[in-house]
């Protein structure tokens, strides 16, 4: 298994790395909850329908917890939390959530551990992950084409 990439060239004339080439990850498919549940069913004693029910309930449960200012840690996967995008105010008294909070987003931090061989922090999500150039005859979606445009 490999993560595919496609090369692209930096065409920003104002960039210090103008005309240099970089790799960008290309996703070739999307796995649905049902497909994940099918695979998980093969690896344990729980039925697909039970797995799907638990995964469906995970989203509203996580939503409630995060909207109650809690981090949500899923062991082996990582931690999710809500972060704010704000603009500054002159003083604490001048700060207003209506004026200064511009938006929110979800921050995901993958669970990591210290690799004894390299002494670096690594995540199971990337352990033994390899990369390979996307085959030239691969089917590309419109979304991929838009992403690859300069």
């Amino acid at each position: 298994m490999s993560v595919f990439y496609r090369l692209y060239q930096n065409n920003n004339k104002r960039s210090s790395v103008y005309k240099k080439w970089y790799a960008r990850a290309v996703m070739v498919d999307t796995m649905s909850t049902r497909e994940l549940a099918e695979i998980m069913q093969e690896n344990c004693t729980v039925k697909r329908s039970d797995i799907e029910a638990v995964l469906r309930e995970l989203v509203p449960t996580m939503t409630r917890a995060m909207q109650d200012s809690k981090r949500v840690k899923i062991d082996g996967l990582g931690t999710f939390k809500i972060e704010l995008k704000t603009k500054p105010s002159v003083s604490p008294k001048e700060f207003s959530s209506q004026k200064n909070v511009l938006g929110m987003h979800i921050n995901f931090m993958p669970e990591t551990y210290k690799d004894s061989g390299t002494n670096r922090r690594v995540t199971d999500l990337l352990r033994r992950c390899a990369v390979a150039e996307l085959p030239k005859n691969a089917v590309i979606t419109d979304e991929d084409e838009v992403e690859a445009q300069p």
Side-chain angles (χ1 to χ4, degrees):
M1 295 190 298
S2 295
V3 172
F4 290 123
Y5 67 88
R6 178 182 297 132
L7 293 176
Y8 72 97
Q9 189 174 32
N10 180 340
N11 291 319
N12 181 352
K13 292 181 182 178
R14 293 177 281 164
S15 173
S16 63
V17 289
Y18 177 61
K19 292 291 184 186
K20 301 289 183 186
W21 290 86
Y22 295 90
R24 184 176 291 154
V26 176
M27 300 299 110
V28 296
D29 201 1
T30 300
M31 286 192 73
S32 68
T33 302
R34 184 180 190 96
E35 291 168 317
L36 288 170
E38 287 285 343
I39 294 168
M40 293 166 76
Q41 173 181 262
E42 294 170 7
N43 296 324
C44 66
T45 59
V46 182
K47 292 291 187 189
R48 179 195 50 78
S49 58
D50 297 324
I51 295 168
E52 282 186 72
V54 169
L55 290 174
R56 279 197 230 304
E57 186 56 31
L58 181 63
V59 175
T61 303
M62 286 178 62
T63 300
R64 276 193 306 277
M66 289 188 294
Q67 289 182 7
D68 197 23
S69 281
K70 296 177 183 172
R71 285 183 186 89
V72 175
K73 181 176 188 275
I74 299 176
D75 296 334
L77 181 63
T79 304
F80 298 81
K81 67 178 183 172
I82 293 176
E83 291 192 349
L84 302 176
K85 179 177 180 173
T86 63
K87 64 181 180 179
S89 69
V90 177
S91 70
K93 281 189 174 235
E94 297 289 321
F95 190 90
S96 156
S97 61
Q98 291 82 13
K99 291 188 308 185
N100 297 87
V101 176
L102 302 176
M104 295 179 271
H105 63 273
I106 302 296
N107 177 290
F108 169 67
M109 293 181 53
E111 188 171 297
T112 62
Y113 64 93
K114 195 171 188 177
D115 182 275
S116 58
T118 63
N119 215 26
R120 295 173 66 191
R121 304 290 304 169
V122 293
T123 175
D124 273 339
L125 294 172
L126 297 175
R127 185 188 291 172
R128 293 184 293 276
C129 184
V131 295
E133 188 169 5
L134 184 70
K136 300 295 183 209
N137 63 347
V139 174
I140 306 301
T141 66
D142 291 339
E143 183 179 291
D144 292 331
E145 288 300 322
V146 169
E147 181 180 301
Q149 295 298 319

